[in-house]
Amino acid sequence: MYVATHLIEKARRWPVDSQLVARRNAMVASTALAQRRAEREEVEEYLASRHQAPAPELPAAHAAHG
């Protein structure tokens, strides 16, 4: 009798338990994606700061005349 009651109770709780696991998985995935996004933006900002166009060089004729 105990086994049957236990199985019935487990079947009744399954939708709630399943939803809790799914919600936890979604939060973990969302956190991981947010971390990757933040890292990607940080790298993009760093690369953008490193690849700024250098100041244009003056032609030799202009540089000599000042």
Side-chain angles (χ1 to χ4, degrees), residues 45-59:
E45 289 173 8
Y46 172 77
L47 292 176
S49 72
R50 301 286 296 166
H51 287 93
Q52 292 178 352
E57 293 183 23
L58 296 175

Side-chain angles (χ1 to χ4, degrees), residues 24-66:
R24 181 187 177 281
N25 289 344
M27 289 190 317
V28 168
S30 178
T31 300
L33 289 173
Q35 288 173 338
R36 284 191 209 164
R37 185 181 317 115
E39 289 173 2
R40 185 179 61 244
E41 289 173 358
E42 184 179 334
V43 169
E44 287 175 358
E45 289 173 8
Y46 172 77
L47 292 176
S49 72
R50 301 286 296 166
H51 287 93
Q52 292 178 352
E57 293 183 23
L58 296 175
H62 286 15
H65 297 312

Side-chain angles (χ1 to χ4, degrees), residues 7-29:
L7 290 176
I8 291 171
E9 184 59 29
K10 193 169 186 171
R12 272 187 358 101
R13 286 193 330 251
W14 176 81
V16 173
D17 292 345
S18 178
Q19 175 65 26
L20 291 173
V21 170
R23 186 172 59 184
R24 181 187 177 281
N25 289 344
M27 289 190 317
V28 168

